Amino acid sequence: MSAPLRTLEFRDPLKAKQLGARLSEVVDQVGREPVSVMHVCGSHEQAIARFGLRSAFPKKLDVVMGPGCPVCITDVPEVDEAVALALQGVRVATYGDMLRVPGTVKSLGDVRGEGAKVEVVYGIDQALELARATPAEELVFFATGFETTAVATASALLHDPPPNFSVLSAHKYIPPVMEIVTEMPGSRIEGFLAAGHAAVITGSNVFEQFVRDHGVPVVVAGFEPLDILAALVRLTELVRDREPKVVNMFPRCVTAEGNRVAQEQLWQVFTPTGGQWRGIAHVPNGNLRLRDDFARFDARRRFTIDVAKLWAYAPPRLLGQCRCGEIMSGSKRPSDCALFGKACVPESPVGACMVSTEGTCRIWHQYGGHLDLRSVS
Amino acid sequence: MCLGVPGRVVSVNGFSAVVDFWGVQKQVLLHLVDEPVGPGDYVLNHVGYAIRKIPSEDIAATLAMYDQLLDAKPEDLMRQDIEGEVGASKGRP
Ligand code: SF4
């Protein structure tokens, strides 16, 4: 691409230092410790880890990653449904990360190794192509992810999907889980950083209701080191001033209303329903289910999925020790897990948080496995 | 991942566009983008869909940010995510 390059003003080390100092000042002014804030985005954690930002955060500030990894929160029974379908002989397509996510006994990768038809696609458009290429064969797209991928699923179903195509929806919706995590007994979360690019679609307004109901501020943040530091300064100011409101610190990408065209398609196809998030909790309105108008594209209504058969086996032994749920709800860190970096590594993950590039354990493992590390780039 | 990737629109045919990502051309669908898009425009893309037209004043800074992320070591997770989005790790000038 040929647009002229500009030096990145959002990586200026001097500005980073100034923002770091300002952040310390504001956290001190809060007058108690630790001040705990949560972000809900794998890309935020990647940026924090790879740029060594935690070493720039004041000691009194705890920045924890919440349930922001779409692969990690896909629940075990949802993986089981996809695995059961594949074992029943149905062709299943899904995003690459989903292959190694453990179900009760098997992952999609396991059953693919045993000969089941499991295809990896980069987007639902590729799954549609596969379905069109083999019209006599049923193809189920195992649809995972938050708002950002759910809009793609919705749009695909609105624009002429072939009759042999259906969707197994494990889509999740972020705002409701923020309520759950905030309300958890013992939760210390005093503010949220919201993911910039998800907010491109939902708009920053989507958080207004949450802030009104829970009195916890939300700041929409970008992904550059200075974006994150500046957003944290603003967020801790709001905590200090007991001023629960939504502030958009990523206006170069996010508007208050968001992308209306995408939102309309999302809600035309999906309706929120309660559902389990892996290891965390049942989240009212946290799952996205296909509306009745789209029943014929709903794999759950199209097939009898025999998951119970899978549960007859005992679950893999180590999975019981996995702390993903507590990590994603903010009460534990990867280093609190006895398996972290030992029995559980990216090459042979025990839990879902070690699988995805957006998983907290995977990110910590990749960038050194401890809190304070130097910049890697 | 929640970053998405920027690319330059090469041609548009109805709701389908050919978009150039660092020399790799891919088909991208336009059903979700909330502004008209034409050749030469830059769009932010996620899982095969354009989700936003990038305002002209933000293009250079956006590309520079991704260029830096792509300059990281191959095992870098942000780089991997961006390459995953493009669906190709080769062809970068
Ligand atoms: S290190 Fe592995 S087993 Fe431990 S919490 Fe993370 S994913 Fe689970």
Side-chain angles (χ1 to χ4, degrees):
Chain A
M1 285 186 280
S2 57
L5 290 190
R6 216 198 307 163
T7 358
L8 287 185
E9 64 267 30
F10 22 75
R11 287 200 188 163
D12 182 339
L14 187 68
K15 275 195 198 151
K17 243 195 171 140
Q18 288 166 348
L19 280 171
R22 176 87 191 115
L23 186 58
S24 283
E25 242 174 74
V26 178
V27 171
D28 281 342
Q29 289 160 357
V30 176
R32 60 191 146 72
E33 60 182 284
V35 175
S36 296
V37 297
M38 179 176 269
H39 71 78
V40 270
C41 171
S43 301
H44 273 157
E45 188 63 26
Q46 290 171 350
I48 287 170
R50 84 194 287 272
F51 296 108
L53 284 184
R54 278 211 172 78
S55 60
F57 295 161
K59 288 213 170 48
K60 298 176 184 170
L61 177 69
D62 230 352
V63 181
V64 292
M65 172 164 172
C69 162
V71 175
C72 311
I73 46 80
T74 304
D75 198 24
V76 177
E78 292 170 325
V79 175
D80 285 350
E81 284 178 301
V83 168
L85 271 174
L87 284 175
Q88 281 167 235
V90 181
R91 200 172 172 207
V92 174
T94 193
Y95 296 112
D97 272 350
M98 294 312 299
L99 273 197
R100 293 197 298 155
V101 177
T104 304
V105 276
K106 285 172 195 289
S107 67
L108 279 171
D110 294 336
V111 293
R112 183 166 79 161
E114 295 162 13
K117 291 182 218 161
V118 179
E119 317 277 354
V120 169
V121 291
Y122 147 72
I124 192 170
D125 50 327
Q126 287 177 357
L128 287 164
E129 271 169 39
L130 288 173
R132 289 196 181 100
T134 51
E137 188 177 26
E138 288 285 335
L139 185 122
V140 172
F141 180 62
F142 182 32
T144 59
F146 300 122
E147 297 80 298
T148 44
T149 50
V151 290
T153 306
S155 186
L157 290 184
L158 284 169
H159 296 95
D160 246 350
N164 59 327
F165 183 82
S166 57
V167 165
L168 177 66
S169 172
H171 282 305
K172 311 272 187 216
Y173 190 51
I174 284 267
V177 82
M178 291 166 56
E179 306 191 16
I180 292 296
V181 171
T182 311
E183 296 295 309
M184 273 185 177
S187 167
R188 295 174 294 119
I189 305 305
E190 298 174 75
F192 280 92
L193 282 192
H197 284 122
V200 166
I201 287 168
T202 59
S204 58
N205 280 351
V206 78
F207 302 111
E208 294 287 353
Q209 182 72 41
F210 166 78
V211 169
R212 269 197 301 277
D213 291 349
H214 298 272
V216 170
V218 176
V219 173
V220 178
F223 300 94
E224 282 292 327
L226 294 191
D227 283 335
I228 293 174
L229 284 170
L232 283 171
V233 169
R234 192 70 192 97
L235 183 60
T236 47
E237 284 172 355
L238 296 172
V239 171
R240 177 197 64 192
D241 302 341
R242 296 176 195 283
E243 201 182 346
K245 61 179 190 180
V246 180
V247 175
N248 178 7
M249 293 287 282
F250 198 39
R252 65 179 191 269
C253 269
V254 174
T255 60
E257 292 80 34
N259 179 336
R260 284 264 171 80
V261 172
Q263 288 166 30
E264 269 161 29
Q265 293 177 58
L266 179 67
W267 299 122
Q268 207 178 327
V269 171
F270 287 106
T271 180
T273 180
Q276 186 71 27
W277 290 40
R278 181 187 291 246
I280 300 180
H282 178 91
V283 180
N285 296 323
N287 281 19
L288 296 174
R289 182 173 73 82
L290 291 176
R291 286 183 184 276
D292 291 344
D293 289 352
F294 296 86
R296 66 188 185 288
F297 296 113
D298 189 340
R300 291 194 179 95
R301 301 193 224 190
R302 192 140 149 172
F303 300 95
T304 309
I305 308 179
D306 190 5
V307 277
K309 205 162 83 197
L310 294 173
W311 299 339
Y313 303 89
R317 201 164 34 93
L318 289 177
L319 194 53
Q321 294 179 44
C322 175
R323 302 266 80 93
C324 273
E326 289 148 277
I327 291 169
M328 287 188 289
S329 44
S331 64
K332 287 225 157 39
R333 297 167 173 181
S335 44
D336 295 328
C337 172
L339 306 182
F340 177 69
K342 298 187 184 93
C344 183
V345 288
E347 298 71 43
S348 57
V350 173
C353 298
M354 190 60 92
V355 172
S356 164
T357 53
E358 294 174 72
T360 319
C361 296
R362 173 82 188 276
I363 296 169
W364 281 41
H365 189 268
Q366 178 73 41
Y367 296 110
H370 51 86
L371 275 172
D372 295 305
L373 36 95
R374 298 293 127 199
S375 171
V376 293
S377 70
Chain B
M1 73 142 176
C2 32
L3 272 181
V5 279
R8 182 175 48 82
V9 177
V10 176
S11 60
V12 175
N13 180 6
F15 279 102
S16 171
V18 174
V19 174
D20 181 285
F21 301 95
W22 293 276
V24 181
Q25 301 207 337
K26 309 246 340 171
Q27 191 211 313
V28 164
L29 294 170
L30 301 177
H31 297 111
L32 291 173
V33 68
D34 56 357
E35 283 177 82
V37 161
D41 286 339
Y42 279 78
V43 282
L44 186 72
N45 304 279
H46 186 55
V47 292
Y49 283 82
I51 54 170
R52 179 170 183 269
K53 180 168 151 182
I54 303 172
S56 49
E57 65 274 19
D58 291 340
I59 292 170
T62 305
L63 293 182
M65 165 181 155
Y66 281 83
D67 270 323
Q68 289 210 353
L69 291 174
L70 283 168
D71 277 338
K73 298 189 197 102
E75 64 270 22
D76 184 80
L77 297 180
M78 291 186 101
R79 173 176 167 168
Q80 284 179 17
D81 276 354
I82 293 166
E83 289 177 344
E85 279 275 355
V86 176
S89 55
K90 294 202 183 77
R92 202 175 157 241

